[in-house]
Amino acid sequence: MEKLQQLYAGKAKSVYATANPDYVVLSFRDDTSAFDGEKVEQLSRKGEVNNKFNAFIMQKLAEAGIPTHFEKLLNPTESLVKHMQMIPVECVVRNVASGSLVRRLGVEDGMNLTPPVFEFFLKNDSLHDPMINEYHIATFGWATEQQVQRMKALTFEVNQVLKQLFSDAGMILVDYKLEFGVFKGEVCLGDEFSPDGCRLWDAETRKKLDKDRFRQGLGGVIEAYEEVATRIGVPL
Ligand code: CDP
């Protein structure tokens, strides 16, 4: 489907209209950002790796019965997705403590979290994506009670599928962030699932294979993404 005018440009992806108002083109760029857009660099091949990675994961999740916006790969850097109304909250599940949880609560990095922790954040860079709870979501009308319950249930279902998928390939799914939208009344998984929005560690060495390599200036960012992709069987 031919892409028409640009509707939106995010930090790493752009969205284009198509002739069909129900579908948009998601275009994955090489731009890589961290710290709410304060650190930005171009990483060669990132758009292509993340587009293909996301397509593979979204298909796995769809096979497991999780509704997603993904329709099909269009070319190396673009996918066709459902045109959803996005819910402005981020859903995070943590299997292992790292990142902001460690900074906030002073718990040990790498500690196993049983049961896994669930957190909501408001999607708002200028406010630095503050942590929120279900009361904020209800009071400010960001989602209905039913949508909140659905997002939580789907985020935990994703955990079951992906913890196993990465564990089978010798990796630990430490944590991840999901975003949802509404398409024809149904809550569906949107945005992307790629090493940009999750933490993945090698199970043996605990080597970081995700965007922390970029945040922490460790180098080998795309090489690590490609290694994860290859290990789980993403055709690159
Ligand atoms: O990454 P940071 O330490 O700032 O935040 P976090 O709350 O520890 O992030 C939890 C997980 O969500 C990590 O896998 C992040 O990569 C991801 N995340 C994201 O993709 N986008 C955000 N705006 C915030 C977190």
Side-chain angles (χ1 to χ4, degrees), residues 200-231:
L200 289 164
W201 295 350
D202 179 85
E204 289 290 313
T205 63
R206 297 222 153 188
K207 179 184 169 189
K208 295 177 197 297
L209 299 170
D210 55 68
K211 196 154 115 179
D212 271 350
R213 300 202 70 79
F214 175 73
R215 293 189 190 97
Q216 299 174 11
L218 299 174
V221 181
I222 296 311
E223 290 75 7
Y225 289 22
E226 286 169 334
E227 182 184 334
V228 176
T230 305
R231 283 207 216 174

Side-chain angles (χ1 to χ4, degrees), residues 1-4 17-21 23-25 72 74 78 80:
M1 201 175 299
E2 202 190 330
K3 80 180 184 196
L4 303 174
T18 68
N20 184 337
Y23 296 95
V24 290
V25 172
K72 63 174 180 181
L74 293 173
E78 293 180 323
L80 188 70

Side-chain angles (χ1 to χ4, degrees), residues 160-179:
Q160 288 315 307
V161 178
L162 296 188
K163 241 182 13 179
Q164 190 66 48
L165 184 137
F166 289 113
S167 150
D168 288 345
M171 288 170 279
I172 303 168
L173 179 58
V174 170
D175 58 26
Y176 57 91
K177 181 261 308 179
L178 302 181
E179 294 179 27

